[in-house]
Amino acid sequence: MADSRQEPQYKDAVRGELQLLKCAKRLEQFSTGRFRDGHGGSLTRFDVLANLSRAPDRSLPTSELAANLISSQGNITRLLDRMEADGLIERGSHHADRRVSVVALTENGQTSFENMAAEHEHWMGEIFGVLGESETRQLIRLLGKIRARIDAIDEEQA
Amino acid sequence: MADSRQEPQYKDAVRGELQLLKCAKRLEQFSTGRFRDGHGGSLTRFDVLANLSRAPDRSLPTSELAANLISSQGNITRLLDRMEADGLIERGSHHADRRVSVVALTENGQTSFENMAAEHEHWMGEIFGVLGESETRQLIRLLGKIRARIDAIDEEQA
DNA sequence: GCGATATGCTTTACGCGTAAACTATCAAGG
DNA sequence: CCTTGATAGTTTACGCGTAAAGCATATCGC
């Protein structure tokens, strides 16, 4: 901080950030838009369904969902409220710990998820097809490095 | 759609999407968090200030701002309401067309922007420093291809 | 001119993100 | 026991995104 020299790299860094954010926003817009038009869903709802569908008995405590989605606890509550109202999930109680509420996929939620997943995979294939396999893996690798770096910086500060 | 063959590429495509979205969300979280702690701002507010700062006389009609930010007109109104309340911008009227409201940076907004910009550049340098120059450019290139592909697909459908 | 239409912005209703305060429950140590 | 502290969820207040309806003003074709 004492030394405020301008490394040439910095300009590309800001360009990189912009490109990254815009690209992600565009992608999210694309997916959410398609989900909205087809089913009632959004990308986040899809993510919830995907997590539940992968879970051992298609159910998870709320807190584990919150950990997988990058979203705060408080938000999950309302999200699940709406999804429960739409009949995609059900909330039950944990046998041993009365604090936790267990979220389970309904039949309806499961089939809804399967339809969405198939479409979603198709779209992503169309989009990432523009990069070859090796470029896609390259992209994944670079993004991973960025993410790890951010995590590291945040930990330093803490 | 008739042919639902599973190309091996598809799996990497979905992985790529996830990685992209998570990385971007993480980055936005990082920047917004730092801006919030330091100044009152957020990444979006910063973007508004940046656009105004680059404009010929530090002012732009609302509609042009809306075009540069990826955000709907309706949202801009409230965003500018808050920023005006915070004394960062001022709204005036257009000399010829009484429909348009012209947004201008205040002194306060300009200095606030300069501080934010310096910090922001520093953070991005720290983060993207983990990639070399060539990898950063590579990342920018790949993201550009993805974005162009999405635009192309959307246009096809339209 | 003047009605139809387009444009710029605001308003409204809502989805989804955060942080922070609150409630209920559980687990541990005196 | 029973306080003390951690943990699971909910609630609240708010920022910021969308779409759609509404209002004022311009503009175009008659």
Side-chain angles (χ1 to χ4, degrees):
Chain A
M1 274 303 229
D3 181 5
S4 70
R5 72 213 134 98
Q6 295 290 328
E7 302 185 6
Q9 192 182 46
Y10 278 19
K11 218 161 212 161
D12 271 350
V14 173
R15 281 214 310 139
E17 183 205 19
L18 269 178
Q19 185 75 295
L20 179 48
L21 293 179
K22 284 196 177 169
C23 187
K25 198 165 276 189
R26 192 75 187 73
L27 186 58
E28 186 165 7
Q29 205 176 43
F30 176 90
S31 289
T32 296
R34 299 261 165 147
F35 278 142
R36 180 162 26 74
D37 294 348
H39 326 270
S42 74
L43 200 77
T44 309
R45 284 161 88 112
F46 176 65
D47 208 4
V48 171
L49 296 179
N51 273 282
L52 289 177
S53 182
R54 271 196 299 274
D57 50 349
R58 301 202 191 300
S59 70
L60 282 176
T62 305
S63 53
E64 287 193 41
L65 262 176
N68 292 345
L69 316 181
I70 308 186
S71 189
S72 50
Q73 268 275 15
N75 191 37
I76 307 283
T77 297
R78 295 171 309 167
L79 183 61
L80 294 180
D81 285 346
R82 287 186 291 266
M83 292 179 73
E84 192 172 24
D86 291 349
L88 298 172
I89 59 154
E90 282 172 345
R91 281 194 262 209
S93 47
H94 191 90
H95 51 89
D97 190 335
R98 274 187 298 175
R99 287 171 305 178
V100 336
S101 86
V102 176
V103 182
L105 264 187
T106 60
E107 275 301 316
N108 212 319
Q110 175 64 21
T111 61
S112 179
F113 166 68
E114 282 162 12
N115 293 335
M116 289 167 93
E119 285 184 44
H120 179 250
E121 208 168 286
H122 178 73
W123 303 331
M124 289 310 113
E126 263 191 293
I127 291 172
F128 283 82
V130 75
L131 308 185
E133 279 190 42
S134 80
E135 279 189 334
T136 299
R137 277 200 290 273
Q138 172 79 344
L139 178 63
I140 291 173
R141 192 179 64 81
L142 295 178
L143 291 172
K145 281 174 82 170
I146 295 283
R147 203 137 68 91
R149 180 78 184 116
I150 297 177
D151 287 341
I153 291 175
D154 265 354
E155 276 185 36
E156 273 173 35
Q157 306 285 323
Chain B
M1 272 304 228
D3 182 3
S4 69
R5 73 213 134 97
Q6 295 288 330
E7 302 185 6
Q9 191 182 47
Y10 279 19
K11 218 159 213 161
D12 271 351
V14 173
R15 279 214 310 138
E17 185 206 18
L18 268 178
Q19 185 75 295
L20 179 47
L21 293 179
K22 283 196 178 168
C23 186
K25 198 163 276 189
R26 193 75 187 74
L27 186 57
E28 186 166 4
Q29 206 177 41
F30 177 89
S31 288
T32 296
R34 299 263 165 144
F35 278 142
R36 181 164 24 78
D37 294 347
H39 326 270
S42 73
L43 200 77
T44 310
R45 284 162 88 111
F46 176 65
D47 208 4
V48 170
L49 296 179
N51 273 282
L52 289 178
S53 183
R54 269 196 301 273
D57 50 347
R58 300 202 191 300
S59 70
L60 282 175
T62 304
S63 53
E64 287 192 42
L65 261 176
N68 291 347
L69 316 181
I70 308 186
S71 189
S72 51
Q73 269 275 14
N75 191 37
I76 307 285
T77 297
R78 293 171 308 168
L79 183 61
L80 294 181
D81 285 347
R82 287 186 290 265
M83 291 179 75
E84 193 174 22
D86 291 349
L88 298 171
I89 58 154
E90 281 171 343
R91 280 195 264 209
S93 47
H94 194 282
H95 49 89
D97 189 336
R98 273 188 298 176
R99 287 172 307 180
V100 336
S101 87
V102 176
V103 181
L105 265 187
T106 60
E107 274 302 315
N108 213 319
Q110 175 64 21
T111 61
S112 180
F113 166 68
E114 282 162 11
N115 292 336
M116 289 167 93
E119 284 185 44
H120 179 249
E121 209 169 286
H122 178 73
W123 303 331
M124 290 310 113
E126 263 191 294
I127 291 172
F128 283 83
V130 75
L131 309 184
E133 279 192 41
S134 80
E135 279 190 332
T136 299
R137 276 200 290 273
Q138 172 81 343
L139 177 63
I140 292 174
R141 192 179 65 80
L142 296 177
L143 292 172
K145 282 175 83 171
I146 295 282
R147 202 137 68 93
R149 180 82 184 112
I150 298 177
D151 287 342
I153 291 176
D154 265 353
E155 277 186 34
E156 275 173 35
Q157 306 285 323

